[in-house]
Amino acid sequence: MTGTKKDIIDQLQKNILAWQGFVPPEAGDTGGIGLGPVEAAFPNAVFPTGAIHEFLSAEPEHAAASGGFIAGLLKTLMLNGGACLWISMSRSLFPPALRAFGVEPDRVIFIDLHREKDVLWAMEEALKCEGLAAVIGEMQEISFTQSRRLQLAVEQSRVTGFILRSDPRKLSATACTARWKITPLPSELEAGMPGVGFPRWNVELLKVRNGNPGIWKMEWKAGGFMPVGENVGEAVLEEQSRMAG
Amino acid sequence: MHKRFVTIWFRHLITDWLVIRQPALSDVPFIVVAKDRGRLVITAANILAENQGVTVGMAAADAKAIIPGLQVIDDRPGQAAKLLKALGEWCIRYSPIIAIDLPDGLILDVSGCAHLWGSERAYLKEIVTRLRSKGYDVRAAMADTVGTAWAISRFGQVTPIIESVGQATALLPLPPAALRLEPTVLQRLQKLGLYQVSSFIRMPRSVLRRRFGESLLLRLGQALGQEDEVITPLQVVQPYQERLPCLEPICTATGIEIAIQRLLEMLCNRLREEGKGIRTAILKGYRIDGKIVQAAIGTNRASHSIHHLFKLFELKIAAIEPALGIELFVLEAPKVEDVPHIQEALWAGKPGLDDLGVAELLDKIGGKMGAATIHRYLPDEHHWPERSIRPALSLREKPAATWRNDKPRPTRLLTRPEPIEVSAPVPDYPPMLFRYKGKVHHIKKADGPERIEREWWLEDGDHRDYYNVEDEHGQRYWLFRLGHYAGGQGNQWFLHGFFA
């Protein structure tokens, strides 16, 4: 009886996904986004492309870390010569740095606008364009309605959208598929070696639709994401809560 | 193609214009004067003054003696040219090629235009009546050559329209001045008693050349159509241009939309046949009040897609002010390019920058927000961080150099380096701690220095020693010291970027 109940619930969850506009990618489509254990947190253990992801960053240091993390994701998304659009109001991203994450900076088109309204308009138009691999929008905040519009645009075109929110104090519910928070972690080198090591982040997946949120430690090393220390999200979570308590 | 020309002569251009501006002048004699060698000379006189014996070129004092209470108005240099240009632009509704004929005329190349008004007579009548109703005293004539039309408009007595066969006959009874000759030649002809064109037109050419110079033969040849005469059009006719005259003036947004749609259909069908596409296009609306409103669009790659171009114009419609109404729409494409032949791909990954959709998206964003908001960067051969990238000129431009990856560069770079307070006790070592925006960061790990010299051929100043540092929370920064280590608090330190 319990078995059938579980089946029904699973079936319903899948239906909900479909009704919400989520289309699971075909099996042979991607070899993953390169996130390793993090991908298991998503439904069907596949990183949802063709969806909206939001990143929270209060400090410029966090914004830099989010920028690096997104660049790492772009590497896979732009693999076949794709282009992406980076829309912002006060852009500080330094294009040559993208090269370190395996992205050709000349395939990124920057749109610099003055008003948040224009950023949203440009982002919605860009997300409707099927020729792009990804669209990144930097904004202070986004309302539920606005995020829903972006989600609807994405459902048609299957473009992946990233929103960088710089003012997370006004945290509101959004229609985004996942909410991330990337913060920098002290880098570590081989024992006794001087200098700064590879970029290392604390990757928090705060919300994910029909998935399991968690916290991971990741490092960008040798052109890919590498999990650091304990790979199991729950374990790190426990450790975090213990430290907090 | 059979050439036809119309010349329009404004007999009292300046005074008519003054009367239009100040109706009080319409029933008083007045003159326009300019200074010449210390005295005032008449440059224009209205018809009332002329009837009483005042002529152009007379001294103003003499004219005042003839007519008591004569109004005198100062001449504005260049006014005639300005007026003729405005009138010429107004006349573009009759023919696309209009030339100014200083000091008081216009030349219209009307080849193939007259039949749109029914006949040549109706066409000429329309021009003259419209100009007269504006208040200008005009005479116009039509002929096969500019020379004959000019002569007939100034001196013709019989009919203003000269048929192709009657060119020479029409010229015969006219005075030599009708041939636009120089004053010295005219004087010589006068002295010899040659008062009509007929009296010297049959003389041998060698005689005429010896007596009156080459210019007489040239003018004669131009009038008879034996020599070519080139006129400089007021507006260069675009090879890709479509016109849409409207029966009723258009003053609604829907009307403008329909006009754009029609014009684009005409232009794009033509471009498609020739395999070309629009890079820039200008829509001009000629308003009833004589003003021209225009909207321009640009595309990132040549396009002849009606749908896409219409979308671009749609964003601009709000900026077009129809006022009382627009009576003529003109769509021009000053810049067209070959459209690359697109091969349909059965499957492709993400097509990237070559994708049509991306180019159309950028057109749309550029059209609404301005093309200056779109940037793409290519590597430049400079070590100085601010100059290591340069904006790409077009969407298709490929990087000439490779992107360097050997030195660490921050993910976020501040446009202006921000000064920080540091404690750096050891020369040429990274600082122990620094204070940025009131927060103290203790440096745990560091790399560097990477010295970047200033490019002396571009600017003066100290070099920068960059350090890549990490604080106790693992936040990574890009700091630099300006110049050599000076000890104590002598150095300026800056924060220039944030690493991922």
Side-chain angles (χ1 to χ4, degrees):
Chain A
M1 184 63 202
T2 50
T4 51
K5 209 173 196 174
K6 196 174 178 302
D7 287 347
I8 292 169
I9 289 170
D10 278 353
Q11 190 57 44
L12 280 174
Q13 269 181 345
K14 273 183 189 160
N15 286 350
I16 288 170
L17 273 179
W19 294 333
Q20 284 177 335
F22 179 82
V23 184
E26 291 95 57
D29 193 15
T30 49
I33 197 91
L35 273 176
V38 183
E39 284 177 44
F42 294 104
N44 305 341
V46 176
F47 179 84
T49 55
I52 304 277
H53 298 257
E54 60 170 326
F55 289 81
L56 307 179
S57 53
E59 314 281 331
E61 292 90 346
H62 298 179
S66 308
F69 186 78
I70 291 174
L73 296 176
L74 287 180
K75 184 198 171 189
T76 320
L77 290 171
M78 290 165 66
L79 209 55
N80 304 324
C84 84
L85 229 60
W86 195 296
I87 307 163
S88 60
M89 288 195 290
S90 54
R91 175 170 53 85
S92 56
L93 189 93
F94 190 45
L98 295 174
R99 190 70 198 87
F101 296 95
V103 177
E104 291 292 330
D106 53 276
R107 283 201 267 127
V108 182
I109 300 161
F110 296 95
I111 315 279
D112 300 318
L113 303 168
H114 298 297
R115 288 184 302 171
E116 192 132 332
K117 217 172 77 181
D118 294 340
V119 173
L120 281 166
W121 176 84
M123 183 142 185
E124 193 181 327
E125 290 296 321
L127 286 173
K128 284 179 192 162
C129 174
E130 292 172 14
L132 289 169
V135 180
I136 300 106
E138 287 185 57
M139 54 193 82
Q140 289 205 326
E141 54 173 330
I142 185 166
S143 72
F144 182 78
T145 326
Q146 287 158 345
S147 66
R148 187 84 193 114
R149 281 183 73 105
L150 299 183
Q151 175 67 29
L152 287 173
V154 150
E155 281 169 18
Q156 290 291 318
S157 66
R158 317 294 307 142
V159 178
T160 314
F162 298 100
I163 299 173
L164 269 164
R165 292 174 70 182
S166 60
D167 198 2
R169 272 168 301 175
K170 303 175 197 162
L171 214 50
S172 53
T174 58
C176 301
T177 308
R179 175 179 287 175
W180 303 77
K181 188 172 180 184
I182 316 288
T183 44
L185 278 181
S187 62
E188 272 169 41
L189 284 166
E190 302 278 321
M193 296 288 277
V196 181
F198 294 111
R200 188 177 280 208
W201 304 297
N202 193 32
V203 178
E204 291 175 60
L205 189 53
L206 300 173
K207 275 185 181 177
V208 54
R209 209 188 283 169
N210 293 311
N212 309 309
I215 299 175
W216 296 267
K217 286 179 181 173
M218 306 288 286
E219 193 172 61
W220 183 264
K221 195 161 137 188
F225 292 105
M226 289 290 212
V228 180
E230 293 149 292
N231 302 348
V232 189
E234 275 75 9
V236 184
L237 238 176
E238 272 171 30
E239 189 189 327
Q240 291 269 329
S241 60
R242 202 180 62 229
M243 279 168 73
Chain B
M1 190 177 183
H2 187 69
K3 286 272 183 192
R4 290 295 268 174
F5 292 93
V6 166
T7 57
I8 305 171
W9 180 32
F10 295 87
R11 294 168 71 183
H12 300 96
L13 179 67
I14 297 286
T15 53
D16 284 343
W17 175 71
L18 283 167
V19 168
I20 293 167
R21 287 193 66 200
Q22 307 171 32
L25 289 172
S26 61
D27 42 9
V28 287
F30 70 95
I31 53 172
V32 181
V33 294
K35 264 197 184 145
D36 179 38
R37 294 191 191 89
R39 57 186 191 140
L40 291 174
V41 172
I42 299 175
T43 56
N46 72 344
I47 194 129
L48 291 170
E50 277 184 348
N51 285 345
Q52 298 190 47
V54 172
T55 54
V56 172
M58 196 186 253
D62 296 349
K64 277 186 208 160
I66 296 172
I67 310 168
L70 182 69
Q71 293 233 27
V72 180
I73 294 164
D74 280 336
D75 185 41
R76 292 191 212 166
Q79 184 64 41
K82 219 193 273 176
L83 273 176
L84 283 175
K85 186 163 181 278
L87 285 164
E89 275 168 0
W90 180 84
C91 282
I92 285 178
R93 67 194 61 207
Y94 297 115
S95 157
I97 302 171
I98 312 266
I100 292 177
D101 176 26
L102 281 172
D104 54 4
L106 287 176
I107 302 168
L108 283 65
D109 182 347
V110 299
S111 319
C113 294
H115 74 94
L116 297 171
W117 274 263
S119 68
E120 290 187 342
R121 193 159 296 278
Y123 178 66
L124 205 60
K125 199 177 159 200
E126 157 84 10
I127 295 177
V128 172
T129 5
R130 285 291 285 272
L131 282 170
R132 283 206 179 131
S133 70
K134 273 173 171 273
Y136 289 103
D137 182 11
V138 295
R139 279 177 60 115
M142 188 188 282
D144 272 8
T145 61
V146 179
T148 309
W150 196 94
I152 301 297
S153 67
R154 266 68 169 181
F155 298 93
Q157 302 287 342
V158 190
T159 167
I161 294 169
I162 305 302
E163 299 303 327
S164 301
V165 287
Q167 295 272 115
T169 340
L171 283 173
L172 290 179
L174 301 182
L179 291 178
R180 298 178 286 172
L181 298 174
E182 290 148 33
T184 48
V185 180
L186 283 177
Q187 270 175 10
R188 214 171 293 162
L189 287 165
Q190 183 82 14
K191 235 180 253 176
L192 293 170
L194 303 168
Y195 304 129
Q196 283 191 338
V197 176
S198 59
S199 34
F200 59 84
I201 198 166
R202 288 185 221 290
M203 285 186 189
R205 286 174 69 86
S206 55
V207 174
L208 288 177
R209 184 181 293 117
R210 198 171 63 238
R211 294 250 178 190
F212 308 105
E214 192 63 50
S215 66
L216 174 67
L217 286 177
L218 179 72
R219 288 303 193 189
L220 204 56
Q222 281 176 347
L224 295 172
Q226 294 152 353
E227 302 267 353
D228 277 335
E229 184 170 357
V230 182
I231 58 172
T232 327
L234 202 60
Q235 282 184 3
V236 180
V237 179
Q238 298 288 346
Y240 294 98
Q241 190 197 46
E242 292 293 341
R243 296 158 68 91
L244 184 73
C246 310
L247 277 177
E248 290 278 321
I250 301 286
C251 49
T252 59
T254 327
I256 298 174
E257 269 175 30
I258 294 168
I260 294 172
Q261 185 77 34
R262 289 240 185 111
L263 285 168
L264 279 175
E265 274 167 22
M266 292 193 270
L267 193 63
C268 288
N269 286 338
R270 204 178 126 202
L271 287 168
R272 191 174 299 125
E273 279 164 19
E274 295 175 27
K276 296 207 185 287
I278 291 176
R279 283 297 308 275
T280 54
I282 301 169
L283 176 80
K284 287 184 184 162
Y286 289 77
R287 290 197 329 210
I288 291 188
D289 56 3
K291 293 219 170 61
I292 299 172
V293 281
Q294 60 179 40
I297 57 152
T299 59
N300 279 297
R301 56 187 276 163
S303 163
H304 53 225
S305 153
I306 297 170
H307 178 73
H308 173 55
L309 293 169
F310 181 73
K311 274 270 154 63
L312 295 180
F313 271 119
E314 207 176 16
L315 297 168
K316 303 272 183 180
I317 287 178
I320 300 174
E321 241 180 78
L324 289 171
I326 296 171
E327 50 184 349
L328 170 67
F329 287 97
V330 175
L331 181 69
E332 283 173 5
K335 198 170 166 197
V336 295
E337 275 179 10
D338 289 338
V339 175
H341 195 73
I342 298 161
Q343 186 170 6
E344 298 231 347
L346 277 180
W347 67 87
K350 289 285 184 180
L353 294 175
D354 297 330
D355 187 55
L356 194 66
V358 175
E360 292 191 350
L361 169 73
L362 292 180
D363 291 347
K364 207 188 267 177
I365 293 175
K368 181 158 174 172
M369 306 297 176
T373 56
I374 301 172
H375 302 279
R376 196 167 74 89
Y377 294 100
L378 297 179
D380 209 356
E381 302 268 356
H382 291 280
H383 287 291
W384 199 253
E386 285 93 333
R387 278 194 286 269
S388 60
I389 50 171
R390 65 178 174 85
L393 298 173
S394 76
L395 205 54
R396 281 195 220 154
E397 195 182 357
K398 293 269 177 284
T402 50
W403 289 97
R404 296 184 63 129
N405 199 17
D406 47 349
K407 295 275 194 277
R409 287 291 175 263
T411 317
R412 303 226 161 216
L413 189 81
L414 297 171
T415 21
R416 296 177 69 86
E418 291 184 18
I420 46 170
E421 292 168 35
V422 301
S423 152
V426 193
D428 291 333
Y429 260 68
M432 308 272 286
L433 54 91
F434 70 95
R435 186 194 297 271
Y436 172 61
K437 285 192 175 166
K439 237 187 198 171
V440 178
H441 301 268
H442 293 270
I443 292 171
K444 294 290 171 200
K445 300 191 187 84
D447 271 333
E450 179 194 350
R451 177 164 297 178
I452 303 186
E453 289 287 350
R454 215 177 271 267
E455 290 153 313
W456 54 262
W457 57 96
L458 294 174
E459 59 182 359
D460 294 331
D462 281 325
H463 63 254
R464 292 172 176 177
D465 279 338
Y466 277 100
Y467 293 93
N468 173 2
V469 301
E470 184 179 288
D471 74 356
E472 74 270 30
H473 303 295
Q475 305 181 123
R476 289 169 279 272
Y477 303 91
W478 210 32
L479 314 178
F480 71 84
R481 186 190 63 223
L482 205 62
H484 292 286
Y485 183 77
Q489 293 295 315
N491 273 114
Q492 262 196 310
W493 284 79
F494 293 91
L495 177 83
H496 202 180
F498 303 95
F499 281 99

